[in-house]
C-alpha cells in the first residue's frame, strides 16, 4: 500500500532524511501516509536522530499537507528539483526531541 526510503545523514548523526515516500492512490486520505511518517520517525529516533528532514515539490499540496499535519515545518530552504529544472522543492523538518521511541508524537 505504500513505501518510504529514509537514511541517516553520514555527516550529521542527529539528522535523518526521508527521501522518498509513496502511498497507493486507493489508500490515500485513510491515515496510511501518517502511519508511514510515524514509523519512519520512530525508526529515525531509535537510530539516534533528533530531526527528520525531507523535501517536497512546490505545488504538491496533498503531500505538503500530510507533512504539515504530521508536524513538519518549512526550514526556509528552497532549491531546484534537479539541475536545470523549473520545479522547486521546499525543505521541511520534524523535531524528534519530544518523541519517545515507539510512542509517536502525540
Amino acid at each position: 500500500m505504500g513505501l518510504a526510503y529514509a537514511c541517516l545523514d553520514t555527516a550529521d548523526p542527529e539528522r535523518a532524511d526521508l527521501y522518498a515516500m509513496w502511498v497507493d492512490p486507493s489508500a490515500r486520505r485513510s491515515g496510511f501516509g501518517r502511519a508511514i511518517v510515524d514509523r519512519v520517525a520512530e525508526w529515525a529516533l531509535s537510530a539516534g536522530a533528533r530531526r527528520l528532514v525531507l523535501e517536497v515539490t512546490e505545488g504538491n499540496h496533498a503531500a505538503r499537507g500530510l507533512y504539515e499535519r504530521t508536524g513538519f515545518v518549512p526550514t526556509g530552504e528552497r532549491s531546484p528539483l534537479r539541475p536545470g529544472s523549473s520545479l522547486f522543492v521546499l525543505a521541511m523538518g520534524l523535531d524528534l526531541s519530544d518523541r519517545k521511541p515507539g510512542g509517536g508524537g502525540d
Side-chain angles (χ1 to χ4, degrees):
M1 298 303 292
L3 60 89
Y5 169 71
C7 64
L8 294 175
D9 186 313
T10 57
D12 181 356
E14 292 192 346
R15 172 182 167 152
D17 292 285
L18 176 54
Y19 284 111
M21 186 171 141
W22 176 83
V23 175
D24 186 274
S26 69
R28 292 179 186 166
R29 313 272 308 143
S30 67
F32 200 77
R34 176 181 287 274
I36 292 174
V37 171
D38 285 345
R39 181 60 190 108
V40 170
E42 288 174 16
W43 165 82
L45 185 60
S46 71
R50 295 293 168 252
R51 66 190 171 285
L52 182 58
V53 179
L54 59 80
E55 292 180 335
V56 61
T57 304
E58 288 183 344
N60 188 342
H61 303 293
R64 182 172 175 173
L66 167 66
Y67 299 137
E68 288 174 342
R69 287 189 303 277
T70 55
F72 282 88
V73 295
T75 67
E77 296 175 43
R78 180 180 181 258
S79 58
L81 178 62
R82 61 184 63 82
S85 176
S86 62
L87 294 174
F88 281 78
V89 293
L90 175 67
M92 300 182 79
L94 176 64
D95 182 358
L96 301 174
S97 62
D98 64 344
R99 290 177 175 250
K100 298 193 182 338
D106 297 326

